[in-house]
Amino acid sequence: MNAHELRPAFHFTAAEGWINDPLGVTWKDGQYHLFYQYVPGRTTWASNCHWGHATSPDMVAWTEQGVAVAPGDGDDGVWSGSIVTDAGGAATMFYTSVAEPDLGIGTVRTATPDDASWNSWTKGGKLMTAPELGVVAYRDPFVFRDGGQWRMFVGAGLEGGTAAAVSYSSPDLKQWTLDGIAAQRSGAEMEPVWTGTMWECPQLFEIDGSHVLVTSIWEDDVLHYVAYGVGSYSDGTFTARSWGQLSYGKSYYAPSFFRDKDGVPALIFWVRGVISPDGQWASALSVPHTLTLDGDTLVATAHADLANYTQAARVEQLGGGAYETVLDGGADLRCTVAAGTVICFGSPDGQLAALRHNGAGLEVTAPGNADFNGVFLPVAEGTDVRVLIDAGVLEISGQQGIMAVPLPITAAAVTLTVTGPQELSLAMVGSVETPQDDHAKAQPALTGR
């Protein structure tokens, strides 16, 4: 789909190596700072994670800045966490320090930036590890302002198969008090959604007067999907009135919450399964998604910044409700679906993916990928589905959930065919250039026609 370079154009990938969880997205001094779990020199995960760093004026065109924090100084791995900035503009990173061999129980540690670039950070002290509350897994600190103090949630698994978040409070980001369990849910509860036996990356935020807890669902080293609770928060405790599933399929995981430059709540996800065809890099990050509530349903929508690079495109009507076009680069497809709608993506080597509406939702199949063989995404008849198309990845979103689908990366143009009852519009993603120098790698230009 991108004939100039075989990698996604508007999804962040590292120049080389493995990436996973996005972290600490912050708008500062006219640009966004993005951090992410990074393992240089290999295309599979390893415990010696670093924090990589990239910057962007708009969350579409990213420039890679290198490693911000690396293992060493008492850390075998620098795992996930968050960044906060106090009223005076001073930033503090809170991350999970892990030590071999017991990687399941982390220690919360801090770091502070060496200068305004945020390209390098100096490690501080270790703050706390798992409390005596029956905690058997512990990592991923999320720090946020809570009235006149600071609050920290740490993801946990409790004895007996219960997923939880542990709560701490602080007046100054330095001295912390354990306040107990902020929220928990048994892994035996299956309805309306199963939420696992350990919560990774639990994050709390407010939308329109309701509080939302977003978390990644984990059990026995298997990564599942992203779920959320909607309810109320007070004094370090979150009480859910409803639970829901945000992501479907085995690609989206470990989203990072942030507010954009206008204060709009947003998430950016790790996209699993996107792999360089030449073995140089692995995994991508999603486009940022803004968040709204429809009742107690959390709705994620691709961020408006993407529209700065799109232009309307034409599709050829083949007759009988069938349309076709050839995509040289990225595209943004919006389609009102009904039972019988079929959206197919193909290359000269065969079909890449098919989305078929069965009356209740989309059945998504990517031939050759056992994880995507008729995977279900709820999309009600008569509602809109949006598909972002890029080299190596589709991102699919609707009012009831979202899904990412990793695809083989091909240099050939991709054919898009839509058949059955539908109304559609297509925008091609145009080009953008980002600066690069000897120490920073710019994301490939977005291409389209």
Side-chain angles (χ1 to χ4, degrees):
M1 296 184 69
N2 185 341
H4 304 291
E5 186 163 358
L6 295 180
R7 67 169 67 229
F10 55 96
H11 292 82
F12 177 81
T13 54
E16 63 85 26
W18 165 276
I19 65 173
N20 52 282
D21 307 9
L23 307 161
V25 181
T26 305
W27 172 257
K28 185 180 83 75
D29 299 334
Q31 63 180 350
Y32 289 97
H33 292 258
L34 163 73
F35 299 84
Y36 48 91
Q37 293 282 270
Y38 176 51
V39 184
R42 57 184 293 156
T43 55
T44 55
W45 181 85
S47 61
N48 64 324
C49 289
H50 303 50
W51 277 43
H53 178 215
T55 56
S56 172
D58 58 11
M59 299 187 290
V60 177
W62 291 103
T63 299
E64 192 172 346
Q65 300 293 351
V67 172
V69 184
D73 302 314
D75 303 324
D76 289 338
V78 180
W79 287 17
S80 296
S82 58
I83 293 174
V84 293
T85 304
D86 67 18
T92 305
M93 175 189 297
F94 294 83
Y95 69 88
T96 306
S97 169
V98 297
E100 300 282 0
D102 188 8
L103 298 173
I105 300 289
T107 298
V108 177
R109 190 172 183 179
T110 63
T112 52
D114 295 333
D115 56 42
S117 73
W118 285 14
N119 286 336
S120 64
W121 296 61
T122 296
K123 295 177 183 179
K126 295 184 178 182
L127 295 180
M128 72 279 284
T129 191
E132 296 294 331
L133 297 172
V135 175
V136 296
Y138 182 86
R139 52 186 172 269
D140 308 333
F142 175 70
V143 178
F144 58 98
R145 194 69 185 173
D146 184 9
Q149 64 181 346
W150 296 94
R151 180 73 58 183
M152 180 193 299
F153 281 5
V154 182
L158 307 182
E159 294 173 347
T162 294
V166 180
S167 176
Y168 300 85
S169 58
S170 171
D172 57 6
L173 297 175
K174 296 183 175 103
Q175 301 298 318
W176 290 87
T177 300
L178 172 65
D179 295 318
I181 300 298
Q184 61 184 308
R185 194 163 185 259
S186 170
E189 294 187 60
M190 306 300 294
E191 298 296 335
V193 61
W194 178 69
T195 56
T197 58
M198 191 260 174
W199 287 343
E200 293 198 293
C201 307
Q203 298 160 86
L204 182 81
F205 50 91
E206 185 176 357
I207 301 179
D208 298 334
S210 290
H211 286 90
V212 181
L213 179 73
V214 164
T215 188
S216 295
I217 305 308
W218 180 99
E219 184 181 47
D220 294 336
D221 285 332
V222 177
L223 315 182
H224 291 272
Y225 46 77
V226 180
Y228 63 92
V230 179
S232 59
Y233 167 81
S234 179
D235 297 327
T237 301
F238 170 76
T239 303
R241 63 174 177 261
S242 66
W243 289 94
Q245 184 171 341
L246 178 60
S247 75
Y248 293 78
K250 294 182 179 181
S251 186
Y252 279 138
Y253 197 74
S256 182
F257 174 79
F258 66 100
R259 292 188 182 271
D260 72 6
K261 64 182 180 180
D262 299 316
V264 177
L267 289 173
I268 185 168
F269 298 76
W270 171 28
V271 180
R272 296 177 281 168
V274 183
I275 300 174
S276 164
D278 59 5
Q280 293 300 303
W281 54 268
S283 297
L285 302 184
S286 75
V287 300
H289 291 69
T290 54
L291 303 173
T292 56
L293 281 176
D294 179 10
D296 280 352
T297 299
L298 184 64
V299 180
T301 305
H303 196 279
D305 277 5
L306 187 66
N308 295 330
Y309 304 108
T310 61
Q311 58 183 356
R314 296 180 63 85
V315 292
E316 179 182 356
Q317 185 167 6
L318 303 178
Y323 296 83
E324 184 176 84
T325 193
V326 176
L327 307 175
D328 286 337
D332 183 353
L333 172 68
R334 303 175 193 232
C335 185
T336 303
V337 296
T341 302
V342 179
I343 304 169
C344 289
F345 302 91
S347 77
D349 295 327
Q351 190 178 88
L352 296 174
L355 289 59
R356 296 179 172 85
H357 201 285
N358 63 9
L362 292 173
E363 294 178 342
V364 180
T365 296
N369 186 336
D371 289 334
F372 285 87
N373 183 14
V375 179
F376 181 76
L377 175 67
V379 180
E381 285 195 273
T383 63
D384 293 336
V385 64
R386 184 174 181 180
V387 185
L388 298 180
I389 306 153
D390 198 2
V393 61
L394 303 179
E395 290 194 83
I396 310 167
S397 60
Q399 195 75 0
Q400 297 167 272
I402 60 177
M403 179 185 292
V405 185
L407 302 177
I409 296 178
T410 173
V414 168
T415 301
L416 164 67
T417 306
V418 184
T419 59
Q422 32 64 28
E423 298 177 7
L424 64 87
S425 64
L426 180 70
M428 302 302 293
V429 180
S431 63
V432 58
E433 294 183 357
T434 56
Q436 55 184 330
D437 54 36
D438 291 341
H439 305 289
K441 166 247 168 192
Q443 280 299 103
L446 310 189
T447 61
R449 71 180 185 188

